Amino acid sequence: MGAVNNPGELTWETKLNLITRNLQETLGEDKLTAILKERDLKVYWGTAITGRPHIAYFVPMSKIADFLRAGCEVTILFADLHGYLDNQKAPWELLALRTQYYENVIKQMLLSINVPLDKLKFVRGTDYQLSREYSLDVYRMSSAITEHDAKKAGAEVVKQVEHPLLSGLLYPGLQALDEEYLKVDAQFGGVDQRKIFTMSEKYLPQLGYAKRIHLMNPMVPGLTGGKMSSSEEDSKIDLLDQPAVVKKKLKKAFCEPGNITDNGVLSFVKHVIFPLNAEEGFLVPRSADHGGDIRFSTYEALEEAFAKQDIHPGDLKAAVEPKINKLLEPIIKHFEDPELKKLTAKAYPPPAKAGKGGAAAGAGAGAATDEQIPSRLDIRVGKIVEVENHPEADSLYVEKIDVGEGVPRTIVSGLKNFVPIEEMKNRNVIVLCNLKPAKMRGIESCGMVLCASVDEPRAVEPLSPPEGSAPGEKVFVEGYETGTPDEVLNPKKKVWEKLSADLKTSSQCEAQWQGNPLITKLGKITCKSLKSAPIK
């Protein structure tokens, strides 16, 4: 697939086209052009070593192949320290193991698309980010950047929680400093990092460093239609998935007839298959009854045919399947090595799911473990039987909520500015029941009404159980149905804060934890209209 050309034979115009094709945005194109007229570009791409790399990683890999074809010097940064700082997604003890896994898997991805590794440099963040010079620059950066700008910069990259850790605010500044310490002209990343890039352009010159060029890929939809995510199992194909699993996931993939804007299968063809198969084009096999095989020499022609519904989703998936398997085959073969199998198991241990006879079975099991699993949460369906305005606070309601205990609980909620009191009466809600009781403006609150919430524009919507739900019914995260919740979540260990960082609504307004739906025996938990919103 797509052999790398001899860059010395290319004009600067051709190099510019290779570097910028399929990007959503380029900041500093004038500077990019000026450099290419003089010499080859130095560019870096960083990845935080948290979730397992999945098939969407071929999107940046195919662009890295473009950079190499254009003669660029490319550095791949394994951002181990960044991964820890992003709400402690990667524990310290797993950082070294995950770095080894990423290095092995990314090298194999590049080899599978015929990218020579001698054109690349691999760097670990902790190789230089713990140096005296870098540490001093972190302090210099923190004395220049405001808390508002740091939080805004990381809004789409760092997990957003109600009480953010200071580490998450440091993250964008460190990423800006990486540009200087890696001695590059440009940084490449997804458009979700745009705010970090613009913050870098603002603050690096204040430290006496040059403003860099920023090259941004579009965000590619996952197989379920939303953003492709390491934590949403059905939204991505793992790099070690066997052909039968690929077939199953593609069959379930969202690929609506005529839909060219929210289509993960079509996007993968655009950003990976076409750039790697430019000379041979893209063949869609079809039966004679449906017009026979058809070959597209450009992505634009395929997209137009799909938009007109001349190409059926089933035929598109059937054409994509062997291409994916061809990409994965050498990676899977490489990871058949027993040592790499051990590495994979250690770097990404399966989540412990409590069961009969298991370590987490029995009373008080949740309290006996520090593992951050959602079965530690006591979440139930509640019915509001009384509601009134808080006598001491303009934005709060005081509710009596039946959660199946015989006597309603008193819960204080900050919903007054978002839900009229008439809509609160007799409403079914979702309640977190094992928070430590806390006084809110003089009234003790014994739980929390869970809501989807966004900051800009400010909006809050209570989660709703399925129709016909009864007070007290248990709410589970699918895949974590067994196990006993903590009697009370320990506030000192921030169990709720860490688990809630992975709670959000999907693009279909369904409540999820790490992509797994919140359910009762009657179905899924939803909100009215807020998509991809944090749940608090």
Side-chain angles (χ1 to χ4, degrees):
M1 289 187 177
V4 178
N5 301 324
N6 180 0
E9 300 172 356
L10 304 179
T11 65
W12 71 263
E13 292 94 343
T14 303
K15 292 179 179 181
L16 178 64
N17 179 62
L18 278 168
I19 290 168
T20 58
R21 71 171 179 172
N22 285 337
L23 293 178
Q24 181 161 325
E25 187 176 2
T26 300
L27 297 178
E29 190 159 344
D30 290 346
K31 185 176 181 180
L32 172 59
T33 300
I35 290 173
L36 290 175
K37 287 179 178 179
E38 298 291 328
R39 59 172 174 83
D40 290 328
L41 190 73
K42 297 177 182 179
V43 60
Y44 102 86
W45 173 74
T47 179
I49 51 168
T50 50
R52 279 173 65 156
H54 47 76
I55 200 167
Y57 275 60
F58 274 111
V59 176
M61 291 304 111
S62 66
K63 275 310 303 174
I64 286 169
D66 280 344
F67 298 155
L68 291 164
R69 290 188 186 100
C72 297
E73 294 179 30
V74 179
T75 299
I76 291 181
L77 172 67
F78 296 117
D80 45 3
L81 187 58
H82 287 57
Y84 178 77
L85 291 177
D86 186 0
N87 206 47
Q88 300 178 23
K89 280 184 186 174
W92 279 116
E93 60 271 17
L94 292 181
L95 283 172
L97 292 167
R98 291 188 176 179
T99 301
Q100 290 177 47
Y101 180 85
Y102 263 70
E103 188 162 341
N104 271 279
V105 85
I106 285 179
K107 282 180 179 177
Q108 290 307 310
M109 291 177 77
L110 291 167
L111 287 172
S112 80
I113 58 176
N114 294 330
V115 176
L117 299 185
D118 58 358
K119 298 281 188 179
L120 289 165
K121 181 167 66 175
F122 295 90
V123 176
R124 301 183 188 202
T126 47
D127 288 345
Y128 65 90
Q129 289 166 346
L130 301 178
S131 68
R132 179 179 183 273
E133 293 76 16
Y134 189 91
S135 297
L136 288 173
D137 271 343
V138 171
Y139 287 119
R140 290 176 66 208
M141 177 70 79
S142 65
S143 68
I145 188 172
T146 65
E147 182 267 349
H148 174 268
D149 281 4
K151 189 173 182 180
K152 181 181 177 184
E156 294 185 51
V157 179
V158 180
K159 279 197 175 295
Q160 299 299 294
V161 293
E162 188 173 357
H163 301 291
L165 298 172
L166 183 59
S167 57
L169 298 177
L170 288 173
Y171 186 114
L174 268 63
Q175 187 169 335
L177 287 173
D178 290 340
E179 297 179 344
E180 174 63 25
Y181 278 78
L182 292 171
K183 302 302 178 187
V184 295
D185 305 306
Q187 183 178 174
F188 166 59
V191 74
D192 60 333
Q193 299 191 55
R194 190 183 195 281
K195 291 176 181 176
I196 291 180
F197 292 162
T198 55
M199 188 211 78
S200 172
E201 293 186 8
K202 176 181 178 181
Y203 284 101
L204 275 188
Q206 293 186 28
L207 272 62
Y209 299 139
K211 183 167 72 172
R212 264 61 181 193
I213 300 158
H214 294 103
L215 310 167
M216 283 170 274
N217 250 359
M219 300 308 295
V220 176
L223 299 182
T224 53
K227 176 182 174 182
M228 198 176 286
S229 164
S230 295
S231 59
E232 280 195 52
E233 185 59 33
D234 284 340
S235 83
K236 48 87 179 177
I237 292 170
D238 189 87
L239 296 171
L240 302 182
D241 277 345
Q242 296 291 333
V245 179
V246 172
K247 181 182 287 291
K248 178 183 175 185
K249 289 183 177 178
L250 273 177
K251 189 175 181 181
K252 293 170 64 178
F254 179 79
C255 189
E256 185 180 40
N259 184 342
I260 60 173
T261 58
D262 191 20
N263 189 324
V265 180
L266 203 57
S267 293
F268 191 79
V269 176
K270 177 179 181 180
H271 293 284
V272 179
I273 294 176
F274 258 101
L276 298 177
N277 299 269
E279 294 173 5
E280 62 185 77
F282 182 67
L283 177 68
V284 179
R286 299 188 300 185
S287 66
D289 294 344
H290 293 102
D293 296 354
I294 182 169
R295 185 179 296 276
F296 294 93
S297 57
T298 66
Y299 171 77
E300 289 72 23
L302 170 66
E303 183 182 88
E304 183 180 356
F306 191 85
K308 292 178 179 177
Q309 300 189 33
D310 292 340
I311 297 295
H312 188 272
D315 292 330
L316 178 64
K317 291 179 181 181
V320 168
E321 184 181 335
K323 298 290 188 183
I324 289 176
N325 287 327
K326 187 175 180 181
L327 289 170
L328 299 187
E329 184 180 5
I331 303 171
I332 293 170
K333 187 174 182 180
H334 181 72
F335 273 81
E336 287 173 357
D337 181 291
E339 291 302 313
L340 290 178
K341 284 185 176 180
K342 285 183 190 175
L343 172 64
T344 305
K346 287 180 180 178
Y348 294 97
K353 299 181 184 181
K356 292 180 180 178
T369 178
D370 283 334
E371 189 173 15
Q372 304 305 327
I373 51 175
S375 54
R376 297 182 67 176
L377 305 177
D378 182 4
I379 305 177
R380 306 180 211 167
V381 174
K383 182 174 183 178
I384 300 175
V385 294
E386 290 181 28
V387 58
E388 60 184 18
N389 296 324
H390 193 298
E392 302 295 331
D394 293 339
S395 62
L396 303 178
Y397 284 134
V398 180
E399 304 126 3
K400 298 286 186 182
I401 303 181
D402 179 3
V403 290
E405 296 172 325
V407 177
R409 291 192 180 206
T410 299
I411 295 178
V412 179
S413 299
L415 289 167
K416 188 175 177 182
N417 294 330
F418 304 100
V419 183
I421 196 166
E422 294 77 19
E423 293 182 20
M424 293 290 288
K425 293 174 181 176
N426 298 313
R427 184 184 189 124
N428 281 346
V429 290
I430 303 300
V431 180
L432 177 63
C433 294
N434 59 340
L435 283 178
K436 185 177 180 180
K439 284 197 173 182
M440 297 183 69
R441 303 294 288 271
I443 296 178
E444 187 172 70
S445 180
C446 299
M448 177 191 293
V449 175
L450 296 182
C451 302
S453 173
V454 294
D455 292 332
E456 294 181 11
R458 184 74 174 132
V460 179
E461 293 177 359
L463 299 184
S464 300
E467 190 82 25
S469 297
E473 283 185 13
K474 285 283 190 179
V475 176
F476 304 100
V477 173
E478 191 172 76
Y480 297 85
E481 291 88 344
T482 55
T484 304
D486 292 19
E487 186 174 339
V488 177
L489 297 173
N490 188 335
K492 291 183 179 179
K493 294 190 175 181
K494 299 188 179 296
V495 180
W496 166 243
E497 287 80 0
K498 291 175 181 177
L499 286 169
S500 64
D502 287 314
L503 278 171
K504 65 176 183 178
T505 59
S506 70
S507 56
Q508 284 79 42
C509 299
E510 296 170 350
Q512 298 181 338
W513 183 82
Q514 289 193 356
N516 303 297
L518 271 65
I519 56 172
T520 69
K521 61 184 181 183
L522 295 178
K524 296 180 179 180
I525 306 303
T526 59
C527 72
K528 186 177 180 181
S529 66
L530 294 181
K531 300 177 180 180
S532 303
I535 293 172
K536 304 174 182 179

